[in-house]
């Protein structure tokens, strides 16, 4: 296992943690916002009013985590390619 495969695996783990935790939190905020009645309480965050903010603050890190996973997969695939033969 070369350094490309090691760092690729490390990026996959870190990216999956970022995407998974941010995605779960974003989903929870959106679910609670949808399930709350509109205009409930002193703040009007029910009825799906928090969905744009949840996607802004939670969706962007989730996408970045997914891109980190993709970069890790790319590094692992690059490390597994056989070396090209020298030109004759």
């Amino acid at each position: 296992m070369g350094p490309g495969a090691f760092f690729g695996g490390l990026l996959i783990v870190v990216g999956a943690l970022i995407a998974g935790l941010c995605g779960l939190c974003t989903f929870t905020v959106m679910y609670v916002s949808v399930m709350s009645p509109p205009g409930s309480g002193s703040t009007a965050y029910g009825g799906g009013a928090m969905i744009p903010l949840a996607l802004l603050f939670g969706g962007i890190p989730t996408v970045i985590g997914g891109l980190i996973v993709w970069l890790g997969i790319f590094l692992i695939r690059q490390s597994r390619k056989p070396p090209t033969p020298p030109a004759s």
Side-chain angles (χ1 to χ4, degrees):
M1 179 163 88
F6 174 75
F7 287 116
L10 191 64
L11 284 175
I12 289 174
V13 169
V14 170
L17 282 172
I18 292 172
L21 293 175
C22 288
L24 182 63
C25 186
T26 302
F27 175 76
T28 303
V29 169
M30 291 187 333
Y31 177 78
V32 169
S33 177
V34 168
M35 290 299 143
S36 301
S40 63
S42 61
T43 58
Y45 293 140
M50 287 294 293
I51 291 176
L53 282 175
L55 289 176
L56 177 67
F57 290 116
I60 293 173
T62 303
V63 169
I64 290 172
L67 290 174
I68 292 172
V69 169
W70 177 80
L71 180 63
I73 292 170
F74 177 76
L75 284 175
I76 289 175
R77 286 183 180 170
Q78 288 295 323
S79 69
R80 289 184 180 171
K81 284 187 177 179
T84 57
S88 52

